[in-house]
Structures are given as structure tokens and as C-alpha cells.
């Protein structure tokens, strides 16, 4: 995102402002040490001396972070916006401002803020530009704050800035029980008479129906194209496609004349915790291609969205302001699926990999207390998987101490 030039927005020691000059600062950080499985993310302790903020920067004590599909791709080396390892991942979070640099006029110590950056959020403290922070409404929890930026900005811009959703329109939302899916469904409820088709496994249908999905479709046992056609023979006006591959072609074919397809992900390339070359090859082989002549002949539009490549900070800020207002009005409310401490990042990623989550998976920087289990809205009878080998591995992998002291 705009303003992030370093690999990781960790506290720095250079600068002219003495506003944050303190004793050595130690903080825990989740570091991607290489590409591969869950074991490539290590919990480390970093120490910085003589902390000073540059003009326009703020120091934020992080209370909650969001987990996104981009981080699953990043761990496998498939997310081009992530700098190479070693790097701290995480694009969004929430916390409290503990120090401000010079020329920061609209933020103060003690402000509760949401943060959106390119990477580096998965640690206990971050230094960011003040314009990458957004004031939280009083009634908003830190978990909700961390769940808003990536999912809700993406959903809002795709629906209103690109697809121009209006009363009476119909939309197909893939992965409707995920973070973007729930955000898009809630935002559709702010427009009168919008019909929402949503794909999700059968066990999630009751939840997404209560959230506003008009027609839930079980993509695992049924052909979603056929199911949509049964109810709406002419198709739909909008398709949000996070899947890519052959599903993009299906989405384009489902569009009514004057319809819009928006591609914003490639979930089909991720099938497990490590890179699957066959899945990647299959997805790219089936990649949807078309020419402008076909667009004219079919009277359809195709758009692409990638928040990581959006550098217009003003546009992002305006969108966040609109979302904060919708939250205050009670029209949107993030659905928190589960919360995991930094020590449990592998379990958090596994839950999203296996598509068990309904809503947002949150990471908590606060050290885990003994006997504390992850807070989860798991389906009845479903337990967050924790194998014995994983537990033993965690015991063996004590927190690494990393000194980053500079003169």
C-alpha cells in the first residue's frame, strides 16, 4: 500500500522526533522465514534501541490482526506483493497509539485505531504513517476493527465503485461464508431488493442465509451454474470471483447482458499447506481469456480488483470513512469466526486452508495463557484441529530471541 517502502513496518530508530524515545523496546513478531508449510512462520522476539519516530509517523500497540487468504498465498511464495523472507506478514490490525511523531495533528496518544499497510502487521508494535490509521468507533471491539479493512474495503469497492450494484440487481458471491463473502452480503443489504446467490458448504448455509444470502448453494455437491439457472434462467447481473481458473469462464457465461464479472483472487491454486504445482498449472491452463470484440458482442464487462496494488490512499481513506459510518448505523458488523494467539498461527492458517471458517479469523499478539483454548464459533460438534504432533512440535520450538540492536 501507499507509503510502505520497507519490507516490514517495524519500529525504527532513525528520525528527528524525540516523541517516542524510550528504553529498549522488545516485541514479539511472527516472521516468515522461508516458503513452505506452517513451520516456516516463527514467533520471534525483536529488540530495538533508541526508538524515534519520523515526522508523520505513529507507534501503535497492536491488539488484534486479521488473517487473509493473501497470507496463505504468501507463505507458499505465491503473493507477489510480499517482500522475500525473512519478513513479517499481515496487512491489517487494530490497536492503541502509544506515541506520535512530529507533524501528526489528527492523532494522539491513546487513540484506538485500525491500521492498513502492505505487510508487517503481525507483531506487538508497529510504526506506520498516521494516514494509514483510521479512528475506531467507540463501540467497536479490537477484533472487529482488525476484521474490517481488507474484506470490507474490497467488497465495497467491487460492489459500488466497479459493479455499480443498484436496487433489483442479482449477484453471485463465491465463498459466501468467508471474510469478503460476508462483507459483500452485508453491503448488499444496504441496497433495496438485491438477490444474493452464495456458494458455501452445506453446514454453513443456515448462517449465511441469516446473514442475507437469498439462495445458498452447496458447491461441493451441486453444480452452482445449474442451481443459479434453475432460479434465474437468464443468469445474474454481478459475479464476484475469488477462484480464477475455469470458474471465471463459468462466471462470465452466467452474466446477463450488461452484467459485470469482477475477478479478485485465485483461491483454486491453494489446495494444502504447501505449494501444489499441479493445481497451479491447472488453474493457469484454464485461465479465462477473451478479446474486446467478444466483450462488445456479449454486452458484458470484466473487471479486476487487487487491494494490494491500490496505491490511492485518499480513495482508501474515503472508503474507510463510509464503512465506519455504516458500522455506526448498524448496517455492517464483522463476523468473527475465531481468535488465535500468535503461538497458534499454524492452527489459524489450517482453519482457513480447510475452509472451516465462517467469517474472519483473528490473530492476537497477547501471549497465550495456559489452558486457554482458541475462541471459535465452530459448528456444533466441530473442534479446532490440534494434533498431538503439532502440540509436541510447539513445545520443541521455543520462542526465538532475535536481537536487532543498532547504534
Amino acid at each position: 500500500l501507499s507509503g510502505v517502502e520497507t519490507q516490514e513496518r517495524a519500529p525504527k530508530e532513525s528520525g528527528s522526533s524525540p516523541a517516542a524515545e524510550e528504553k529498549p523496546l522488545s516485541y514479539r513478531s511472527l516472521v516468515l522465514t522461508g516458503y513452505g508449510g506452517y513451520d516456516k512462520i516463527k514467533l520471534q522476539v525483536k529488540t530495538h534501541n533508541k526508538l524515534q519516530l519520523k515526522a508523520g509517523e505513529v507507534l501503535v500497540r497492536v491488539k488484534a490482526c486479521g488473517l487473509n487468504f493473501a497470507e496463505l498465498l504468501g507463505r507458499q511464495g505465491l503473493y507477489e506483493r510480499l517482500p522475500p523472507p525473512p519478513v513479517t506478514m499481515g496487512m491489517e490490525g487494530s490497536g492503541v497509539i502509544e506515541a506520535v511523531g512530529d507533524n501528526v495533528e489528527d492523532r494522539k496518544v491513546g487513540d484506538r485505531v485500525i491500521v492498513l499497510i502492505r505487510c508487517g502487521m503481525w507483531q506487538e508494535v508497529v510504526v506506520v504513517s498516521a494516514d494509514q490509521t483510521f479512528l475506531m468507533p467507540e463501540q467497536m471491539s479490537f477484533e472487529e476493527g482488525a476484521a474490517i479493512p481488507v474484506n470490507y474495503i474490497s467488497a465495497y469497492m467491487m460492489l459500488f465503485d466497479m459493479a455499480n450494484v443498484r436496487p433489483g440487481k442479482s449477484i453471485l458471491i463465491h465463498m459466501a461464508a468467508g471474510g469478503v463473502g460476508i462483507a459483500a452480503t452485508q453491503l448488499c443489504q444496504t441496497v433495496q431488493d438485491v438477490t444474493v446467490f452464495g456458494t458455501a458448504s452445506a453446514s454453513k448455509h443456515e448462517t449465511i442465509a441469516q446473514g442475507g444470502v437469498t439462495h445458498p448453494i452447496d458447491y461441493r455437491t451441486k453444480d452452482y451454474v445449474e442451481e443459479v439457472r434453475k432460479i434465474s434462467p437468464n443468469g445474474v447481473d454481478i459475479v464476484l470471483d475469488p477462484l480464477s481458473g475455469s470458474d471465471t469462464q463459468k462466471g462470465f457465461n452466467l452474466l446477463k447482458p450488461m452484467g459485470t464479472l469482477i475477478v479478485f483472487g485465485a483461491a483454486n491454486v491453494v489446495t494444502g499447506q504447501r505449494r501444489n504445482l499441479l493445481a497451479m498449472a491447472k488453474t493457469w491452463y484454464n485461465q479465462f481469456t477473451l478479446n474486446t470484440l467478444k466483450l462488445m458482442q456479449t454486452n458484458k464487462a470484466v473487471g479486476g480488483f487487487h487491494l494490494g496494488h491500490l496505491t490511492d490512499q485518499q480513495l482508501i481513506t474515503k472508503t474507510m470513512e463510509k464503512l465506519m459510518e455504516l458500522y455506526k448505523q448498524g448496517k455492517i458488523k464483522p463476523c468473527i469466526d475465531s481468535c488465535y494467539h500468535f503461538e497458534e498461527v499454524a492452527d489459524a492458517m489450517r482453519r482457513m486452508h480447510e475452509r472451516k471458517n465462517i467469517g474472519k479469523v483473528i490473530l492476537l499478539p497477547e501471549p497465550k495463557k495456559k489452558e486457554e483454548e482458541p475462541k471459535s464459533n465452530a459448528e456444533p460438534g466441530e473442534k479446532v484441529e490440534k494434533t498431538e504432533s503439532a502440540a509436541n512440535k510447539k513445545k520443541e520450538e521455543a520462542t526465538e530471541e532475535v536481537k536487532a540492536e543498532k547504534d
Side-chain angles (χ1 to χ4, degrees):
L1 293 177
S2 177
V4 181
E5 297 174 354
T6 57
Q7 287 188 10
E8 173 184 326
R9 298 293 281 163
K12 297 180 182 178
E13 293 108 63
S14 61
S16 57
S17 170
E21 193 160 0
E22 299 283 349
K23 57 186 179 181
L25 178 67
S26 292
Y27 56 94
R28 304 191 322 152
S29 176
L30 286 174
V31 179
L32 179 68
T33 59
Y35 300 131
Y38 304 127
D39 60 335
K40 295 298 182 181
I41 300 179
K42 308 288 188 184
L43 181 57
Q44 301 179 348
V45 176
K46 299 182 178 181
T47 301
H48 284 259
N49 288 328
K50 299 180 184 176
L51 175 64
Q52 289 184 324
L53 299 179
K54 291 181 179 179
E57 290 185 332
V58 295
L59 173 70
V60 179
R61 174 70 57 176
V62 181
K63 299 294 186 180
C65 308
L67 172 62
N68 292 288
F69 205 82
E71 279 94 42
L72 304 190
L73 291 170
R75 202 195 64 244
Q76 297 183 2
L78 300 175
Y79 188 66
E80 76 282 2
R81 295 295 288 164
L82 184 71
V87 63
T88 296
M89 295 194 292
M91 298 181 286
E92 61 186 346
S94 61
V96 180
I97 292 180
E98 289 196 343
V100 297
D102 291 337
N103 303 329
V104 176
E105 299 176 357
D106 54 354
R107 297 288 182 271
K108 64 183 185 301
V109 172
D111 280 348
R112 300 164 72 248
V113 293
I114 293 168
V115 181
L116 178 64
I117 56 179
R118 178 177 154 195
C119 65
M121 200 70 216
W122 289 1
Q123 51 193 31
E124 289 181 313
V125 290
V126 293
V127 171
V128 296
S129 172
D131 64 7
Q132 292 174 307
T133 67
F134 311 93
L135 293 173
M136 292 170 54
E138 284 183 24
Q139 65 270 38
M140 181 181 286
S141 69
F142 287 117
E143 291 81 5
E144 287 179 328
I148 281 186
V150 171
N151 292 161
Y152 281 82
I153 289 176
S154 298
Y156 189 97
M157 289 185 173
M158 288 190 289
L159 287 173
F160 297 107
D161 295 329
M162 298 190 82
N164 192 24
V165 65
R166 301 186 302 286
K169 296 295 182 180
S170 57
I171 179 170
L172 170 62
I173 300 174
H174 286 290
M175 298 171 69
V180 174
I182 288 177
T185 301
Q186 289 182 3
L187 289 168
C188 282
Q189 306 311 300
T190 66
V191 182
Q192 188 178 357
D193 194 28
V194 173
T195 301
V196 178
F197 294 84
T199 65
S201 55
S203 60
K204 300 176 182 178
H205 283 191
E206 184 179 352
T207 303
I208 64 173
Q210 290 172 352
V213 172
T214 323
H215 304 291
I217 300 170
D218 183 2
Y219 68 95
R220 293 184 177 179
T221 61
K222 295 181 179 177
D223 182 332
Y224 66 83
V225 174
E226 289 182 9
E227 295 302 306
V228 170
R229 294 281 188 196
K230 283 179 189 175
I231 299 164
S232 179
N234 294 328
V236 294
D237 297 295
I238 301 166
V239 174
L240 299 186
D241 172 27
L243 304 174
S244 194
S246 59
D247 288 289
T248 306
Q249 179 71 64
K250 292 178 183 177
F252 184 79
N253 293 341
L254 265 176
L255 289 177
K256 295 177 180 177
M258 311 309 295
T260 302
L261 165 71
I262 301 176
V263 182
F264 69 102
N268 284 337
V269 305
V270 177
T271 58
Q273 68 163 307
R274 289 182 174 81
R275 189 184 301 187
N276 184 331
L277 296 178
L278 183 61
M280 290 172 61
K282 184 178 178 183
T283 298
W284 295 121
Y285 178 77
N286 291 316
Q287 195 66 23
F288 176 59
T289 58
L290 80 168
N291 56 48
T292 51
L293 182 61
K294 184 169 183 180
L295 282 178
M296 289 190 291
Q297 292 171 342
T298 55
N299 292 293
K300 297 178 182 181
V302 177
F305 182 84
H306 193 307
L307 185 58
H309 285 279
L310 192 62
T311 58
D312 188 336
Q313 191 63 43
Q314 269 192 323
L315 178 59
I316 291 170
T317 299
K318 285 180 181 177
T319 304
M320 277 296 287
E321 288 171 354
K322 292 172 184 173
L323 290 169
M324 292 301 97
E325 191 57 38
L326 288 171
Y327 178 89
K328 291 175 186 175
Q329 295 170 3
K331 293 182 178 179
I332 62 170
K333 186 174 178 64
C335 173
I336 308 301
D337 171 79
S338 48
C339 297
Y340 293 85
H341 292 273
F342 274 1
E343 294 89 339
E344 305 165 310
V345 63
D347 296 313
M349 285 193 152
R350 185 179 295 110
R351 185 166 178 80
M352 183 174 280
H353 260 309
E354 297 174 359
R355 301 192 182 181
K356 290 184 176 180
N357 59 301
I358 300 178
K360 193 74 173 184
V361 177
I362 296 293
L363 295 175
L364 303 173
E366 182 185 6
K368 182 185 176 184
K369 297 172 185 174
K370 290 182 180 179
E371 287 113 32
E372 187 177 337
E373 290 297 320
K375 298 173 187 173
S376 168
N377 297 330
E379 298 152 23
E382 178 193 315
K383 294 182 179 177
V384 180
E385 290 186 10
K386 285 192 171 185
T387 62
E388 249 179 69
S389 60
N392 292 335
K393 193 169 185 181
K394 281 182 188 175
K395 290 177 185 175
E396 292 167 13
E397 288 184 4
T399 301
E400 301 174 20
E401 180 87 26
V402 174
K403 295 284 184 183
E405 297 182 0
K406 296 179 184 176
D407 296 331

